[in-house]
Amino acid sequence: MPSRFRGVPGIRAVSAYRREWLAKDLVAGVVLTTLLVPQGMAYAELAGLPAITGLYTTILCLLGYAVFGPSRILVLGPDSSLGPMIASTVLPLVAADGDPDRAVALASMLALMVAGIMILASVAKLGFIADLVSKPTMIGYMNGLALTILIGQLPKLLGFKVEADNLIGECVGLVREIADGAAVPAAAAVGIGGIALILVLQRFLPKVPAVLVMVVLAIAVAAVFDLDEHGVNLVGVLPEGFPPFTIPDVRLADVAPLLGGAAGIALVSLADTISNASAFAARTGQEVRGNQEMAGVGAANLAAALFQGFPVSTSGSRTAVAERAGARSQLTGVVGAALIVLMLVLAPGLFRNLPQPALAAVVITASLSLADVPGAVRLWHQRRAEFLLCFAAFAGVALLGVLPGIAIAVALSVLNVFRRAWWPYDTVLGRVHGLEGYHDIRSYPQAQQLPGLVIYRFDAPLFFANAKTFRDEVRRLAGADPRPSWIVVAAEPMTDVDTTAADILEELDEALNADDVHLVFAELKDPVRRKIERYGLTRTIDPRHFFPTVEAAVTAFRLRTGARWTSLTTTEPPGEPGPGAAGPASPDGK
């Protein structure tokens, strides 16, 4: 084996494969296929594409990830969270007649772009970008996505269509059509019954393949009762054989909107991949290699794009099925891909009697698993500010659409980080009887303080956006009555000071010195201290006013002034000895 190929994950997996894994991988591959086929078809239609493209996509992405993906059992495929994003990107570009060939070409180009983004991100080691979406905003985004999918699939579940551009329009159209009697009773019975059956089996018999059982029963019911004659749409005979190698051909004007959609899809896919890889790697004792995971997902999307497929991501539910079935390697996915190929070649009519409402039931139950209503309720009780972020992301998806929703989720996450740095927590510290160190006087109102000394903590790096906030608070403290002579900044949280903040510090120190108030720093990190010296701040801030610890600054102040600890809220006499960090007060002030 040439050395240049030994770094390919699939080659390494083959060389390290154990014979005792074979039987388990084969069985797991068969079990997994029973889920891959109906979900692949359902998620293709969720994306606004022919059902057969879901099977093409499933085959190629499994093979692509088996070669280039680092995880032993992670399963990729069409995903319910990506379906609406693909549809919202592709369908507006398709002509009014809804040409399916053009839709497939656009979706394949979208997958090609996602592949390029993921592979470039892997080379540039940009896996950290997944952290741009905070958990509260992701909860809101997924809840909005679940609602969007649910409302969008209800007409298909009930046997009619609704033409609308947004969630509100779909809701209005849904109510109007139901009121006009457009619902097909047989379709509604199949769809609602399918949802009920899946949910019951998943709840009480989790080891039973609920989706497969529902699909088989739906096909049987459709054949026995001739549901197509009762107004129920069926999948029909799938195209026979394997798709040809195809380079997507799209118009130049379509590239820009496709690229925007690809960026959003890549971000969601990256977040899914990192979270799923981390969860399953912890169970199998593997290490998560984020950049290799991105390369693997990129390769899977590239393979799908070249054979009439659409963007894919990792699937936690399908990976869990493979794991429970005993999967030990990516051979499980290869077996699943091979079985789907055999089905297309030998039995393309196997799903011809599958009712479309049954596929809608598959999608709706998948959307319910995306939602995290308890998580949103928990945010309401624990932190209202993050609940508002969650709700804003939810409203963005529900009211503006899936792609604007992910943009809003990312923007809100970044702005929330900036908000915390702009208005960080700050407080005055004091000595608490019975506790070591210095503590927040808001939490300990009985804390003692030294007359003439204020210990102030600002919990953020000092930079252009928050330097004036810091300055204004220090000025307020300096203007107190009685006026302090030292303001000691407990600077351990200050991991940086930029040039704008340095200029503001210089002006602040000069103004304080004019009022005989001195700005003192304690616990300033060495790199930050060197920056301050490089900025020339020691021209105004006395170099002797930098202390290694708050305790050292307090001791220096007491030696200079003889101040003794006092408290206005306790009965403890001023100067009463205590075990605080400053040690007991003594007559000479030490």
Side-chain angles (χ1 to χ4, degrees):
M1 181 70 63
S3 59
R4 63 179 176 272
F5 294 123
R6 291 175 184 169
V8 177
I11 301 297
R12 292 201 308 267
V14 171
S15 63
Y17 194 81
R18 301 178 186 176
R19 185 177 300 176
E20 60 267 24
W21 292 352
L22 181 60
K24 293 181 178 180
D25 281 337
L26 292 175
V27 171
V30 174
V31 173
L32 182 62
T33 305
T34 65
L35 185 64
L36 292 174
V37 172
Q39 283 194 346
M41 297 168 66
Y43 296 159
E45 296 202 343
L46 175 63
L49 302 168
I52 186 62
T53 60
L55 300 184
Y56 296 160
T57 301
T58 301
I59 294 167
L60 271 303
C61 75
L62 289 173
L63 296 177
Y65 188 82
V67 177
F68 294 101
S71 173
R72 285 208 305 262
I73 65 168
L74 209 59
V75 177
L76 272 70
D79 189 69
S80 58
S81 63
L82 299 189
M85 300 180 74
I86 297 168
S88 64
T89 304
V90 169
L91 295 185
L93 303 177
V94 179
D97 59 357
D99 180 6
D101 292 336
R102 176 162 160 72
V104 171
L106 289 167
S108 296
M109 178 57 75
L110 191 62
L112 196 61
M113 290 179 173
V114 171
I117 292 172
M118 296 294 278
I119 293 171
L120 289 175
S122 172
V123 173
K125 302 186 185 302
L126 298 180
F128 67 89
I129 291 177
D131 298 331
L132 288 178
V133 184
S134 66
K135 186 173 182 179
T137 49
M138 183 56 78
I139 289 175
Y141 172 76
M142 286 300 181
N143 284 341
L145 188 63
L147 180 62
T148 300
I149 294 173
L150 176 64
I151 298 299
Q153 290 293 303
L154 281 178
K156 182 177 176 181
L157 188 84
L158 300 176
F160 57 84
K161 292 184 178 180
V162 170
E163 299 294 336
D165 296 328
N166 53 56
L167 184 66
I168 294 177
E170 289 180 343
C171 290
V172 172
L174 177 66
V175 172
R176 183 186 298 118
E177 292 293 332
I178 292 175
D180 291 343
V184 178
V190 171
I192 296 173
I195 292 175
L197 180 61
I198 291 174
L199 294 179
V200 169
L201 290 177
Q202 287 178 341
R203 174 68 177 85
F204 297 104
L205 297 171
K207 293 186 178 181
V208 173
V211 172
L212 176 63
V213 171
M214 187 277 292
V215 166
V216 170
L217 288 178
I219 292 174
V221 169
V224 171
F225 294 100
D226 295 323
L227 292 185
D228 56 332
E229 297 180 3
H230 293 81
V232 179
N233 293 323
L234 305 179
V235 170
V237 178
L238 298 174
E240 183 178 352
F242 197 71
F245 176 87
T246 307
I247 297 178
D249 183 17
V250 300
R251 302 167 186 167
L252 185 61
D254 296 331
V255 171
L258 285 175
L259 189 58
I265 291 170
L267 179 60
V268 172
S269 180
L270 175 59
D272 279 347
T273 298
I274 298 300
S275 60
N276 286 325
S278 300
F280 287 98
R283 299 181 191 179
T284 59
Q286 288 184 280
E287 293 183 4
V288 177
R289 297 184 288 274
N291 293 311
Q292 286 190 16
E293 288 291 356
M294 284 190 290
V297 175
N301 276 280
L302 177 61
L306 297 177
F307 290 88
Q308 302 180 23
F310 52 85
V312 297
S313 181
T314 57
S315 170
S317 61
R318 275 163 281 183
T319 304
V321 168
E323 183 187 47
R324 287 197 300 268
R328 291 295 182 269
S329 75
Q330 285 297 326
L331 180 59
T332 296
V334 174
V335 171
L339 290 176
I340 296 174
V341 171
L342 289 176
M343 184 198 76
L344 292 177
V345 172
L346 302 178
L350 186 62
F351 289 92
R352 64 180 179 274
N353 288 325
L354 177 61
Q356 291 284 358
L359 291 181
V362 173
V363 174
I364 288 174
T365 53
S367 73
L368 296 178
S369 68
L370 294 177
D372 187 6
V373 176
V377 173
R378 185 172 63 253
L379 289 175
W380 170 261
H381 291 297
Q382 293 178 350
R383 188 157 183 164
R384 297 290 172 85
E386 293 195 350
F387 172 81
L388 292 177
L389 291 175
C390 173
F391 181 78
F394 169 83
V397 176
L399 300 179
L400 300 179
V402 177
L403 289 176
I406 189 62
I408 288 173
V410 173
L412 288 175
S413 295
V414 174
L415 288 174
N416 190 40
V417 173
F418 190 73
R419 177 189 66 83
R420 292 177 181 177
W422 194 349
W423 295 303
Y425 187 80
D426 62 340
T427 189
V428 172
L429 305 179
R431 189 183 71 162
V432 180
H433 184 75
L435 294 178
E436 294 290 334
Y438 297 89
H439 303 276
D440 190 339
I441 64 172
R442 293 173 184 154
S443 300
Y444 298 93
Q446 75 277 17
Q448 295 178 313
Q449 294 180 276
L450 288 172
L453 174 74
V454 174
I455 306 173
Y456 174 60
R457 191 181 71 210
F458 188 79
D459 290 350
L462 205 58
F463 68 114
F464 67 92
N466 63 21
K468 291 183 179 179
T469 302
F470 174 85
R471 177 198 64 190
D472 294 344
E473 184 60 21
V474 170
R475 282 179 175 175
R476 187 189 69 79
L477 295 171
D481 186 21
R483 185 186 300 274
S485 58
W486 276 23
I487 296 179
V488 176
V489 179
E492 184 180 13
M494 287 187 181
T495 55
D496 192 21
V497 175
D498 71 2
T499 55
T500 303
D503 291 341
I504 291 175
L505 277 178
E506 185 173 15
E507 296 171 2
L508 174 63
D509 189 62
E510 289 175 349
L512 293 177
N513 289 341
D515 293 330
D516 198 26
V517 178
H518 300 287
L519 194 60
V520 177
F521 289 89
E523 300 181 353
L524 196 65
K525 291 177 169 56
D526 289 342
V528 182
R529 170 71 184 272
R530 287 193 291 269
K531 287 182 181 180
I532 285 179
E533 292 173 349
R534 189 163 63 248
Y535 297 152
L537 283 180
T538 49
R539 292 193 308 268
T540 58
I541 302 177
D542 191 336
R544 295 172 298 177
H545 287 169
F546 291 91
F547 293 91
T549 64
V550 174
E551 171 61 24
V554 168
T555 300
F557 180 80
R558 294 184 68 197
L559 287 171
R560 179 176 176 271
T561 64
R564 312 184 78 181
W565 293 102
T566 62
S567 175
L568 299 178
T569 60
T570 66
T571 58
E572 185 178 3
E576 182 75 9
S586 60
D588 62 359
K590 295 184 180 179

